[in-house]
Amino acid sequence: MSILLVDSYDSFTYNLRHLVEKATGAHVLTIHNDSYDFPREKECLDKLVGSVDAIVIGPGPGNPNSAQDVGIIPYLFEAFPKTPILGICLGFQCLCLAHGCTLKYLEHPVHGQVSKITPIDKSSIFSGFDSDFNSVRYHSICISTETDDIMPLAYSEDQCLMAAKHAQNPHFGVQYHPESACSEMGSKLVSNFWALVEKSERVPIKDSHLLQIEPLIKHFQTTAEFDYKYEKLPKVDIISACERFSDSLLLNSAVSPGEWSIIGLPEQGRSLVVGNSREAGLSIGTWKGETKSHPGSMWSYICNYMSQRYYEPTIDDPELAKCPFAGGFIGFLSYEESLALTMSKITLGPTPSTRLCFVERFIVSNDKHTFVVSIRPGDSHWIQQAKSQLQTNKRPGFLSSVQAKVEKPDKKSYEKSFHDCQKYLHTGNSYELCLTRQTKIHVPKTIAPWEIYKCMVKNNPSPYSCYLDFGDARLLSTSPERFLSWDNELSQMRPIKGTVKKDSQLTYARACELLKIPKEIGENLMIVDLIRHDLYQMLEKVEVTKLMSVEEYHTVYQLVSVIEGRLQDSGYSGIDILRHSLPPGSMTGAPKKRSVEILCDLEDRIPRGLYSGVCGYWSVNNHADWSVVIRSLFNYEDDICSTETTRCFRCGAGGAITVLSTCEGEWDELNLKLDSVLKIFN
């Protein structure tokens, strides 16, 4: 038995697909609404539809009156009157529009909010439902007039038509989102629809238009080229430790929930460096050594490299055995790495979008001990040498502030973009837009970037802080947000949406009151649903283990959710999740594809660069941890705004704009986030 799912480039489609698979037990085939060049490929489409038992038409951005937004959907309702169809949100609107109903824009769009749904007909898809139930709505358009061909099945508490069916054809639709994490009775709705389908023994066809993701790594090959050796020391200050080595890549878990800080120690002319640029492509070289362009994709290269070097060391120290990093890649991927957008230039040459260094020597530290580690065979002499360096008595100095010229965003320009966001939100092109702006900080070249980082982390310790200097690109981060971590069994994502500033009067209880409001809950829920979609593209088992919990950080309280996906026996590894989840949904909004395109224009096509990207590590034991690059500074060596005497650092900040946002409130939040970084400058 099979069902065809039509995706309109929504960021919740794979949540719906998972729901349909679990509720029906059927095989679900997925296509985009523009997968077929219609009408040229009409015969191929007809053949595909004829091979399935039913069709589910998913949600999506835009307007059902727009041919560009709906693609083949109107044709399906017209050409297949006897094929059971269930439309969700945009699919529901297309059903009603196809049969003479008229639409209107809601005065107050409902995005990511829970509503009470009341069925008025329990003879079909609402069979077995109670008098009412709660479900999540994401829509700017509603049905304004109904026709005799469309029979109403349910309404919301504000009397919006929430469900309907065709009077004769087995075509059904619901306006709300049964697949959302906070929706009730979604599985029952879909199983009721499936019970109405007259099933037959159809054989699904294989079609080139079906949406499928091939794993980047088929299997990992265990290697014998590494040999894990270490020395254990009392805890050494991580900043002090970095200063005792000429080159280091620091991932600094300064506060909880981070546990381990990692100092990668690359070797000049030896350690592999993988670089990528959207303009120049892939480059392969060594640390501070020669670099050459390389054919192929960055993803293929690093996956091939790591798949041949799987190494699970045996570690006799029970404390060190808990450290997830055992050597491997450390670095960053920019916001634009996975995007095909035309952007302005902010560097004289090709802009680095990825920098990854493979380290075999490193230092790891928790709150009790520091360990010097090498996985290179025969490296005992270096371990003893590094241990001696760490045991020297040296305390780091810190600047109290940094002299710099700061160019903050223009408020009028931001206000215009905010109001443009509202137009897109009210017309259904997006549910949430993470609008950002860049600040430029001109720092004298006499001040080393490392000194700036030390000042930053002293003022704002964070669980995912880092200092990554690749020469042509530098990242100084005090990020509080994990993007994605994984091991061989589980992946975890921790989106943050909702922020309030800490002060002496703000208690945790009061912070919960301020954050547990419809606007903040809606923002967080949309990203939770988006991430579930990203994971369900590949994984069958996805669970929201923490939903909208308030967490305390050094300068703010934030609303955090945790979503986990089971990798074991899925055929996929964490690197697949990383590739197909970029850029982070918490930095784009939803639906992601349309939102990214809108934001590109609203941000004047200025690249976000490293801001809104990710940084972290991928270890040889296939453990990884990547954070979202926020509360950060970054610099390109050939930034067009640098001079002979000053180095231009850039600092991005922004927030999720929803229909419940106010311009002044969002402007204040942007500046709150900026000030957590900029307060070190005078």
Side-chain angles (χ1 to χ4, degrees), residues 91-142:
F92 164 75
Q93 294 166 5
C94 288
L95 165 66
C96 295
L97 192 65
H99 296 289
C101 297
T102 58
L103 311 174
K104 69 175 182 181
Y105 286 109
L106 290 167
E107 183 179 354
H108 301 291
V110 185
H111 292 165
Q113 302 299 317
V114 177
S115 283
K116 183 178 292 185
I117 311 298
T118 303
I120 60 171
D121 183 335
K122 299 181 183 178
S123 62
S124 57
I125 58 173
F126 292 113
S127 176
F129 277 57
D130 293 332
S131 57
D132 52 52
F133 60 96
N134 292 323
S135 202
V136 177
R137 295 162 60 185
Y138 291 99
H139 65 113
S140 302
I141 293 171
C142 68

Side-chain angles (χ1 to χ4, degrees), residues 254-275:
V255 294
S256 179
E259 296 179 12
W260 290 89
S261 292
I262 301 165
I263 305 174
L265 298 170
E267 301 165 75
Q268 185 171 342
R270 173 160 181 160
S271 296
L272 172 71
V273 175
V274 178

Side-chain angles (χ1 to χ4, degrees), residues 218-237:
K218 301 294 185 183
H219 65 275
F220 287 94
Q221 180 178 329
T222 301
T223 182
E225 69 177 80
F226 300 130
D227 182 22
Y228 194 99
K229 300 292 184 185
Y230 69 91
E231 283 285 341
K232 185 175 185 177
L233 294 82
K235 179 175 174 58
V236 178
D237 176 78

